Amino acid sequence: MRRISMLFFFFFVFLSFKFAYALSEVTNCFNYLEAGDYKRAIEMGQRAVKLYPKNFYAYFCLGDSLYHSGELELALINFKEAEKLAFSKEELAQIYNRLGHVYSKKGDLDNALHYYSRVLFLSRELGNKWLEAGALNNIAGIFYSKGDLDRALNYYEQSLKIQNDEKERTATYNNIALIYKDKRDYKKAEEYFIKAIDLGTRVGDYHGVAVYMINLGELYINMENYSRAEEYLTEGLKRILKVGDKYWEATAYEYFGILYAKKKNIKLAKEYFQKAHDLFQSIGATQRAEQIAQFFILLTVSNIFENIENISKSLKEQPKSFLYAGIEVGSKGVKGIVVELIEGKEGFYDLKTKYRKTINTTIYAGVRETGEFQMSAIEETVSAVERLLNEIYGIKGVKGEDVVIIASSALAGVKNKEVLAQRIKEKTKKELYFMDKEGEILWGIVGSVPFDYIYSSILLDIGSGNTKLGYLEENPFRVVSLEYLYGTVSLTEEAKKQNSSQINYANQTQRIASNAIGKKLKKDVSRYPSFLNRDKIFLVGGIVWAMITLLYPEKQESFVKLSKKDIERFHNMVVTKREKVFKVDLSGIKEEKIRIEAERQIQALKNTFTVDNLIAGSAILLTLSKELNFEKKALYFSREGNWMLGYLIGKGFVEAQKSKEEKQS
């Protein structure tokens, strides 16, 4: 999940168009827009496009009015119409600028970066420093959102150097403040937010000042200065309601939810989170709505962790169970899971897996080269989702509304992901949500790490399409996560593309892993020392399961301890004994039940990974081992752990909390 606090105000500018002829409806639309009267601007813009359906300015003004009101889907439609009608580079630059804004708010950062880069190119062709400064500012914002703080700051500084308009500088001050906030230099962040508010007030940027106040309020939450946080959030919300910006209205509600959750007023926090969720959903910001839902679940879980002993003592009646189901669409295939959470008298809950099934698909095939899913792979994946969903619906006690379908972060950046989502909705009548790396880490920790180590360990998740690692900080609460492009399957594809020789293949995977993961990880851990300081690492992912299955087939427990030497032995085995990798000696396993399970696991492994996949995965493990000092860590394979399980556990916790509250009332 994208960090909830990581919101920023994108720099934007109003056009001063020179009309070739007077169109009063269009002119009035721009006048209302510049005055911040978005309701009237929309009304006038709607009249304008009906009267002048071939007029670029009519669609532009209507789109801009809708954008500033938070109506993202409608804004996108009108901006696309304006793009078709644009004749000059100036018009195209402004439309690309607005399209970048819309995609940014929708959470589609790759598309946003694409359009902002187009603006930068055109602005330099035109020699328009004003437009260039805005493009630099917006590109910086995208890199900020991607977590690349150094590149973001560099682009902001470039923008400041060529800005002459004071109103433009206010937005840049705000964005620089957000970078310092992310670096946890709160005093510096506070200084820049106040600069933005003071300058914005002086130049009459009413809308901007409202946003900066909301951001400053959120900063004060992080600083645990709750009275100042409430003061600025209240004033910012009051101002944003006057201009009618639904997106930032929802953001203010979200921050109020965080504020009251921090103050342990869960009831009031719930009310504000619900407002934020519903408003984001209504304006088409569905990913933001889902993030709100996830964040509230986690806060509830966190609160339960803190009070788990008292809660368990209060459950005096007969145990009550909750059944939840989920389908994960990943780069390797589709997984279905149904879990039952049972309230207990001695402990808080007991977890039972009622159903677990995987269908391998080719959804990620070719994505590295084209950036898109193949239509045949989409249909194959949709069919697998439909099949698993029907089986899950057949399990007694499963309610349709309790089943969630979520795509992994490896698929979230694919260009035509909406096609996959639309086809799943057509076939199943259910939404497909896309998880981001923070969400996978957050819920992966809940689903993979024992409660005692939630805030003191690291989670390492090596998937088929990417590699992620992260941890939770307790006070103030936040998710710290890192993501790298290569996983077991994607590294295999890249290495084969570069060299098909079996002898050189292993060296090639090691070289790519070292350059693409190792070098970046070394730089990243210098920013987050906890990755080196925490002494426990819980590992999940197919390659870790493969290693344990081949090295220790007799170990079937939920948590299997391993070491750096195990990783080195595994790598040596898959590289030097290609033909014998899957021929595991099980004669030493005396207990028949364990031997049968080991045989099943080995067969499942052969159906899942090729030897080349195992070599690639072992190269990633070796790289991580070197950079994270595995020899000094306690390493555990969490056999049942995954983020989907954690997400479902979180939902169950929330339901159990509701049950407790109902009993007490």
Side-chain angles (χ1 to χ4, degrees):
M1 159 174 49
R2 184 165 61 91
R3 284 171 293 174
I4 291 296
S5 62
M6 197 175 71
L7 290 167
F8 49 89
F9 179 61
F10 281 104
F11 169 77
F12 64 89
V13 292
F14 286 106
L15 288 172
S16 296
F17 289 117
K18 294 182 179 179
F19 297 104
Y21 48 89
L23 302 175
S24 61
E25 290 81 8
V26 178
T27 304
N28 288 336
C29 178
F30 278 108
N31 288 337
Y32 286 129
L33 176 61
E34 193 160 8
D37 190 345
Y38 302 133
K39 183 178 180 181
R40 290 187 181 181
I42 291 171
E43 291 173 357
M44 200 58 63
Q46 289 171 336
R47 288 176 60 183
V49 297
K50 287 180 181 178
L51 290 169
Y52 316 109
K54 299 297 182 181
N55 186 273
F56 166 83
Y57 305 116
Y59 284 103
F60 184 98
C61 187
L62 177 56
D64 222 18
S65 303
L66 290 163
Y67 166 77
H68 285 97
S69 297
E71 299 285 355
L72 302 183
E73 293 296 337
L74 293 175
L76 186 61
I77 291 170
N78 283 278
F79 283 144
K80 288 289 187 180
E81 288 299 317
E83 182 184 10
K84 296 174 187 176
L85 298 169
F87 288 103
S88 68
K89 290 181 180 179
E90 289 86 351
E91 291 173 352
L92 278 174
Q94 292 292 353
I95 277 297
Y96 292 155
N97 196 43
R98 278 5 186 230
L99 285 169
H101 293 343
V102 175
Y103 281 117
S104 295
K105 282 193 175 180
K106 285 173 65 65
D108 189 342
L109 301 183
D110 290 333
N111 258 327
L113 184 59
H114 167 73
Y115 281 107
Y116 288 145
S117 298
R118 282 186 167 190
V119 177
L120 183 61
F121 177 79
L122 287 173
S123 68
R124 288 172 174 170
E125 275 198 341
L126 293 165
N128 188 329
K129 294 295 183 182
W130 173 61
L131 198 59
E132 181 182 354
L136 288 167
N137 211 37
N138 290 330
I139 290 171
I142 297 301
F143 282 120
Y144 170 70
S145 187
K146 287 174 173 283
D148 193 337
L149 302 184
D150 293 334
R151 290 182 74 179
L153 191 56
N154 178 265
Y155 275 99
Y156 284 137
E157 289 171 346
Q158 289 184 54
S159 179
L160 274 176
K161 287 178 182 178
I162 61 175
Q163 288 175 11
N164 294 318
D165 189 289
E166 288 186 325
K167 190 172 181 179
E168 297 171 7
R169 298 181 73 84
T170 62
T172 307
Y173 286 146
N174 172 77
N175 293 339
I176 290 174
L178 286 161
I179 287 186
Y180 282 117
K181 177 178 73 71
D182 211 49
K183 287 175 174 286
R184 308 189 79 181
D185 187 344
Y186 294 150
K187 286 297 181 183
K188 201 75 173 176
E190 181 184 25
E191 174 189 333
Y192 272 92
F193 278 137
I194 291 173
K195 274 187 177 183
I197 292 169
D198 289 346
L199 184 56
T201 301
R202 192 164 70 246
V203 300
D205 183 8
Y206 192 86
H207 183 278
V209 169
V211 171
Y212 310 148
M213 285 182 167
I214 292 170
N215 277 336
L216 181 55
E218 193 265 347
L219 175 70
Y220 283 130
I221 295 174
N222 290 335
M223 296 173 72
E224 299 185 352
N225 190 338
Y226 299 143
S227 60
R228 295 297 297 277
E230 190 160 14
E231 174 188 342
Y232 276 94
L233 288 177
T234 300
E235 181 61 25
L237 178 59
K238 182 174 74 175
R239 290 169 177 249
I240 217 70
L241 286 170
K242 285 185 178 180
V243 299
D245 185 336
K246 292 182 180 179
Y247 185 91
W248 277 97
E249 179 188 347
T251 300
Y253 292 147
E254 172 191 349
Y255 290 164
F256 269 116
I258 296 172
L259 172 64
Y260 289 117
K262 291 285 187 180
K263 295 174 73 173
K264 307 302 181 184
N265 189 337
I266 299 300
K267 182 178 180 181
L268 199 53
K270 185 188 302 184
E271 292 176 8
Y272 276 105
F273 278 127
Q274 192 65 55
K275 282 185 177 182
H277 175 275
D278 293 348
L279 191 49
F280 276 130
Q281 193 76 39
S282 71
I283 64 175
T286 55
Q287 286 297 101
R288 294 288 292 114
E290 175 60 16
Q291 288 163 5
I292 294 292
Q294 292 183 39
F295 192 63
F296 176 67
I297 291 174
L298 186 71
L299 281 174
T300 306
V301 172
S302 179
N303 183 61
I304 290 171
F305 286 162
E306 294 175 7
N307 300 282
I308 194 167
E309 185 176 351
N310 292 332
I311 291 173
S312 62
K313 288 179 180 178
S314 70
L315 297 173
K316 302 296 184 182
E317 300 175 7
Q318 289 298 314
K320 184 176 180 181
S321 66
F322 306 91
L323 208 60
Y324 289 99
I327 294 176
E328 174 194 346
V329 182
S331 56
K332 188 69 177 177
V334 181
K335 303 174 185 176
I337 182 172
V338 178
V339 294
E340 183 181 20
L341 289 105
I342 305 173
E343 294 181 0
K345 295 180 179 180
E346 302 300 328
F348 180 63
Y349 77 95
D350 183 30
L351 174 67
K352 292 184 179 179
T353 302
K354 305 285 285 186
Y355 171 91
R356 188 189 292 266
K357 187 172 183 178
T358 299
I359 300 177
N360 293 334
T361 70
T362 59
I363 188 64
Y364 205 76
V367 169
R368 186 69 62 181
E369 290 75 25
T370 66
E372 295 186 346
F373 299 129
Q374 299 175 10
M375 285 307 301
S376 58
I378 288 176
E379 294 305 318
E380 176 192 27
T381 301
V382 172
S383 177
V385 170
E386 192 175 19
R387 177 179 164 188
L388 291 178
L389 191 60
N390 287 335
E391 291 184 11
I392 288 172
Y393 281 158
I395 297 173
K396 185 178 179 181
V398 173
K399 300 176 183 178
E401 63 268 23
D402 290 333
V403 184
V404 295
I405 307 176
I406 308 179
S408 70
S409 64
L411 308 186
V414 179
K415 293 177 183 177
N416 61 340
K417 65 180 181 182
E418 297 303 328
V419 178
L420 175 63
Q422 183 60 35
R423 289 293 295 132
I424 286 177
K425 188 171 184 178
E426 290 171 0
K427 285 288 187 178
T428 68
K429 310 301 181 187
K430 297 188 73 66
E431 297 284 346
L432 171 67
Y433 296 104
F434 289 87
M435 187 69 72
D436 59 22
K437 68 179 187 298
E438 284 87 359
E440 290 191 4
I441 289 296
L442 187 156
W443 296 115
I445 290 172
V446 174
S448 308
V449 179
F451 293 160
D452 289 347
Y453 306 122
I454 286 284
Y455 294 113
S456 61
S457 61
I458 296 167
L459 178 69
L460 177 54
D461 183 354
I462 306 173
S464 297
N466 60 11
T467 296
K468 300 173 292 297
L469 60 157
Y471 58 84
L472 295 183
E473 288 187 351
E474 186 173 8
N475 191 19
F477 179 85
R478 71 167 181 163
V479 182
V480 177
S481 64
L482 302 173
E483 179 181 25
Y484 304 98
L485 292 179
Y486 290 111
T488 305
V489 175
S490 55
L491 179 56
T492 301
E493 293 175 352
E494 182 64 22
K496 285 187 174 182
K497 184 173 68 174
Q498 294 188 21
N499 195 321
S500 60
S501 169
Q502 294 294 351
I503 295 175
N504 291 326
Y505 172 78
N507 293 334
Q508 195 73 285
T509 58
Q510 193 63 60
R511 182 186 65 81
I512 296 170
S514 179
N515 289 333
I517 299 176
K519 289 181 179 179
K520 293 180 180 179
L521 180 57
K522 180 178 290 186
K523 181 180 178 181
D524 288 337
V525 296
S526 67
R527 294 164 52 205
Y528 302 108
S530 289
F531 281 111
L532 295 177
N533 296 337
R534 296 191 177 191
D535 62 357
K536 291 182 177 59
I537 300 180
F538 291 84
L539 297 94
V540 298
I543 191 61
V544 192
W545 161 66
M547 178 172 61
I548 295 300
T549 299
L550 295 176
L551 295 184
Y552 301 110
E554 73 281 5
K555 294 186 177 182
Q556 301 295 328
E557 57 264 42
S558 296
F559 294 96
V560 180
K561 194 166 186 178
L562 55 107
S563 68
K564 179 183 178 181
K565 289 184 178 180
D566 290 327
I567 293 171
E568 293 169 347
R569 184 159 68 96
F570 174 63
H571 177 73
N572 182 65
M573 179 180 71
V574 296
V575 170
T576 63
K577 301 178 180 180
R578 291 182 58 90
E579 305 303 322
K580 299 180 180 179
V581 166
F582 296 114
K583 296 178 181 178
V584 183
D585 183 8
L586 303 179
S587 60
I589 302 177
K590 303 303 181 183
E591 190 173 336
E592 183 180 8
K593 182 179 179 181
I594 294 177
R595 187 173 63 254
I596 292 173
E597 178 60 21
E599 291 172 350
R600 188 189 70 79
Q601 293 276 335
I602 293 168
Q603 185 58 48
L605 177 58
K606 291 169 67 176
N607 294 337
T608 304
F609 290 128
T610 65
V611 176
D612 285 339
N613 292 153
L614 299 181
I615 293 172
S618 69
I620 294 174
L621 281 167
L622 281 177
T623 299
L624 295 168
S625 174
K626 176 184 176 182
E627 300 303 333
L628 295 176
N629 298 329
F630 274 10
E631 69 274 7
K632 297 180 180 179
K633 311 289 185 183
L635 309 176
Y636 300 91
F637 167 51
S638 182
R639 183 178 296 277
E640 301 298 327
N642 62 69
W643 61 262
M644 177 62 83
L645 178 62
Y647 183 78
L648 296 176
I649 290 173
K651 288 185 68 176
F653 267 131
V654 172
E655 288 301 315
Q657 178 75 347
K658 288 180 181 177
S659 174
K660 170 183 171 288
E661 291 172 355
E662 289 170 1
K663 291 172 184 176
Q664 291 179 338
S665 62

